[in-house]
Structure formats: C-alpha cells, structure tokens
C-alpha cells in the first residue's frame, strides 16, 4: 500500500527517536523492524480487505453484505468513467438518479414507488422530517409502541432519530404488550404518523401481545393518518429455505397496506449500504420534494451496485450469485470437505475440524444460529489471544473467534477461492 513519503518519514523518525530514548541503543536491524511495524500499522488504518472467519455473515464491523461479482462489475462500468446518473439518453435532457432503480424496486416489493438514500437511519429520518414537521416548523406526533423503541448499532436510538427530525414521540402500550386501543386513545389532531419498528436485533418473548400491520393500517385509514414501518433487515423473499426462521418481507408489509416501508440494502437484500423507502406514489412524491433529500442522496457507485443486486433478486434462479445467499446455501458437507483439505495444507500445526455456530448478523435474526464448520487452531504457546492478533496483523488479515483453548475460523464466511490465502495466513501466524 502506498503511504506517501511524508507518512513514511514520520514513522522512521518515530523509530529513530525511540531508539535514541532507549537505555541501550538497539542494533540498526531492530530500528528497521520497528519502522516496518509502525508502517504496517499505518497501512491497516486505511480500508483493507479481510477474511471474515467469525461465522457472522452480515458482520457490521466488517462491512456487512459482501457484494456479488455482478455488482462489482456494475460499479466498474458506471464509476470508471461518465454515466447517465442524471441524464436522460432518450431526450438528451437532465434526468433523475432516482429513476435508475425505481422499476426494479417496484418489481421486488410490489410498491407503487420507491426512493433510495444513504442508509436506513437516513430513510427513517427523511420520512419523519417530511411528515412529522408542521409547516411552521413545530413538532407533530408520531405514535410508536413502547416495545419497539429500538437501539441500532453504534448507540443510535429510534427516540433520538425522532427528536432530531423534529417529531414528538408518543409511546403507547407496555414493553411486552400493546393493543390497538392504545394507539386509538393516543390519536390527536397533532398526530402525523403511526409507526411500526421491526425488532431486528432483539426479541420479546413470553407474555406478549402486539398489533398487526393490517389493524394499524385500518386505524390509520379511519383517522386519516399514514402508517410507516421500519423493517430494517430488508428481506425481499422467504428466507426459511436457507435454514433461517421466517422473516417479514417488504412485499408483505406493502401488501398489508403500509404507506411507507423503510429497510436496509446491505442486510438480507445483500447489496451495498443504502436505505430504501417503498410505498405509495403520493407519499414518495412528498419525500422527493423535501430539500433534505439532497443531503441524503446516493451516488453512481451505490446505484450501480444496488441495481445489479436487485436484478439477481428479480431473476430468482441466480440469487445465490449474491454472496450472502451463497453462504447460506452452502451445505455442511461442503464446508467439512474444505476444512479437511485446509488441515492437510497446514500440516504441522495443531489444527482440526470442528463444528461451529454462525449467525446472520447485522441486526438480523439474532436468535437463529447457523450450523457451520470451523478450523480450530491451538497455537503451540497456548496463547489464543496473541495468535488471533497475529492473524489480524497478517496479509490478508484474518478475523477469527476465540473458542476455549482454540482460535476458531468459520469457513462459511470465507469464500472458497480464498482457501489458499487462509492457509498461508495460518502458517505465517504460527511462525
């Protein structure tokens, strides 16, 4: 990785300063090694590719959904030069970037119209700012069940997003129980929206009661109040054939009559980071007219990658070209065969094949483990934390999990084409 002469000089000077400050002057080779270690650490401060051996398919800290080859090709084609991002090739006049994906999103969701922004939190913020802020700037009310006031990654909480949008939160029900009467009693002339929020990263079980989307839509229709639903995970089809529990799909929410549905593109959809809003044409038109949209819009790279990913969903039969679905569809026997071949490649290390549990991740289906296979490496010195650190410091870095006295590297989340890189990384870390 090119770091530039000023950066290289800064780390060489730091290594020299450390040598001068030492009680015993180190040999020149040690100073060189120190400088190289500092430069390697600097290189890892930038964005680098890693091998995800955690078994978490949608690892938020590791970039969530890896992109399909078709999406990468689309990025190269659209971003390597000029594109028709906001140009109508038929009329030769200015076009709309939002039209590039609208037909595909309508096809996969059944919605009348759609809009794409830079992430799901931005999608919720845009909806709230558009519908829950009065013309005079004062806050209007958004009614949400108390048990749906979620916190997503990084400490961002739905009540905070509501407050930032200028809306006033009205909580109804108890943590574990909410009824349609709770929503009805909370309605007022200041009510702007009825909101449902999907509990993507937690579950409330036991003595519970909830209000269905059709019930809430019916109440909203009687009161003349729109209903929005934040689905978060963005499932476009039934994921049960892949061994996951049933997950509410965007099409189901649209079919239930929800006015606007917000969801992520980089979770169960398997695309790039983006937030998608699907729903009624008139409601989407209001969102497009909001000046805030300009601050939240996506560029050609996101549009190209998302478009290519959506086409794979539309085709259906090629959905497993999306890495997330390829990982989900890989049978245990195939993972075990890879693991046995890798054990042979690292002969001499204490590495064996072990059963493992992975997860969908990314705030999706938190209680649903995925049976998997891992390489379990017991380092010679017994220090598993140091061994895992050496794997992370390698080229490529390998991110693994600690499992008792072993470093566990789950193969479901590592592409088979990278097995040679993984074997080399293990051998290097053992040295």
């Amino acid at each position: 990785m090119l770091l530039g002469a000023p950066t290289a000089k800064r780390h060489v000077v730091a290594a020299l300063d450390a040598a001068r400050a030492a009680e015993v002057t180190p040999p020149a080779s040690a100073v060189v090694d120190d400088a190289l270690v500092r430069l390697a650490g600097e290189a890892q401060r930038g964005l680098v590719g890693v091998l995800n051996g955690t078994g978490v398919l949608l690892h938020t800290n590791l970039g969530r959904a890896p992109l399909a080859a078709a999406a990468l090709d689309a990025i190269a084609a659209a971003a390597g030069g000029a594109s028709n991002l906001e140009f109508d090739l038929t009329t030769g006049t200015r076009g709309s970037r939002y039209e590039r994906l609208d037909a595909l999103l309508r096809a996969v969701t059944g919605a009348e119209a759609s809009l794409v922004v830079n992430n799901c939190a931005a999608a919720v913020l845009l909806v709230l700012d558009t519908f829950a802020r009065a013309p005079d700037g004062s806050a209007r009310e958004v009614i949400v069940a108390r048990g749906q006031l979620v916190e997503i990654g990084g400490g961002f909480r739905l009540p905070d997003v509501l407050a930032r949008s200028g809306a006033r939160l009205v909580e109804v029900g108890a943590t574990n129980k909410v009824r349609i009467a709770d929503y009805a009693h909370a309605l007022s002339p200041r009510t702007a929206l009825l909101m449902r929020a999907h509990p993507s990263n937690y579950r409330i079980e036991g003595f519970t009661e909830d209000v269905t989307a059709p019930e809430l839509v019916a109440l909203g229709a009687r009161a003349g109040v729109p209903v929005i639903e934040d689905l978060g995970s963005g499932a476009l089809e039934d994921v049960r054939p892949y061994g996951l529990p049933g997950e509410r799909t965007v099409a189901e929410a649209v079919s239930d009559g929800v006015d606007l549905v917000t969801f992520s593109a980089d979770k169960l959809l398997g695309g790039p980071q983006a937030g998608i809003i699907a729903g009624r044409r008139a409601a989407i038109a209001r969102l497009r007219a909001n000046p805030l949209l300009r601050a939240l819009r996506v560029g050609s790279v996101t549009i190209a990658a998302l478009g290519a990913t959506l086409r794979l969903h539309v085709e259906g039969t090629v959905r497993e070209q999306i890495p997330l679905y390829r990982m989900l569809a890989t049978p245990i026997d195939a993972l075990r065969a890879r693991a046995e071949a890798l054990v042979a490649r690292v002969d001499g290390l204490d590495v064996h094949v072990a059963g493992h549990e992975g997860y969908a991740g990314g705030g999706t289906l938190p209680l649903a483990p995925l049976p998997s296979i891992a390489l379990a490496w017991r380092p010679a010195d017994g220090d598993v934390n140091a061994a895992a650190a050496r794997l992370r410091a390698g080229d490529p870095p390998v991110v693994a999990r600690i499992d008792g006295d072993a470093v566990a590297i789950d193969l479901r989340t590592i592409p088979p084409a990278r097995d040679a890189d993984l074997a080399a990384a293990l051998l290097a870390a053992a040295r």
Side-chain angles (χ1 to χ4, degrees), residues 57-127:
L57 279 62
L58 299 171
H59 200 303
T60 298
N61 302 133
L62 301 181
R64 284 201 186 151
L67 296 179
L72 298 176
D73 291 343
I75 290 173
S83 70
N84 65 331
L85 178 63
E86 289 191 345
F87 186 78
D88 189 318
L89 294 171
T90 302
T91 64
T93 59
R94 184 180 181 124
S96 169
R97 70 181 64 204
Y98 304 111
E99 296 303 322
R100 305 288 166 249
L101 298 170
D102 189 56
L104 286 167
L105 285 167
R106 285 188 283 111
V108 296
T109 65
E112 295 176 356
S114 67
L115 189 59
V116 179
V117 292
N118 52 20
N119 59 29
C120 193
V124 174
L125 176 64
L126 180 63
V127 171

Side-chain angles (χ1 to χ4, degrees), residues 186-252:
L187 287 169
S188 80
R190 300 290 299 170
T191 302
L193 293 167
L194 299 173
M195 183 173 184
R196 283 169 55 89
H198 182 58
S200 57
N201 53 6
Y202 72 99
R203 291 290 183 270
I204 298 176
E205 298 179 343
F207 189 56
T208 63
E209 187 174 346
D210 199 2
V211 174
T212 66
E215 288 179 295
L216 201 59
V217 167
L219 176 64
R222 291 195 300 271
V225 177
V227 176
I228 69 168
E229 182 166 1
D230 178 28
L231 277 182
S233 59
L236 295 182
E237 59 277 316
D238 189 358
V239 293
R240 286 175 294 185
Y242 293 97
L244 295 173
E247 179 81 348
R248 181 166 167 80
T249 67
V250 179
E252 288 171 340

Side-chain angles (χ1 to χ4, degrees), residues 352-368:
H352 66 276
V353 179
H356 202 244
E357 283 190 346
Y359 291 87
T364 300
L365 302 167
L367 302 181

Side-chain angles (χ1 to χ4, degrees), residues 136-180:
D136 62 2
S138 61
R140 299 181 66 202
E141 297 170 351
V142 178
I143 303 176
V144 187
R146 185 166 282 109
Q148 295 177 9
L149 295 174
V150 298
E151 176 179 312
I152 58 176
F156 293 98
R157 296 177 174 178
L158 181 56
D160 296 337
V161 176
L162 278 158
R164 177 63 63 180
S165 72
R168 189 172 82 82
L169 170 65
V170 177
E171 302 178 32
V172 295
T175 301
N176 60 323
K177 285 200 172 192
V178 62
R179 301 178 179 88
I180 194 64

Side-chain angles (χ1 to χ4, degrees), residues 250-267:
V250 179
E252 288 171 340
V254 170
S255 179
D256 284 340
V258 175
D259 294 279
L260 290 170
V261 184
T262 59
F263 56 100
S264 295
D266 56 347
K267 292 185 180 179

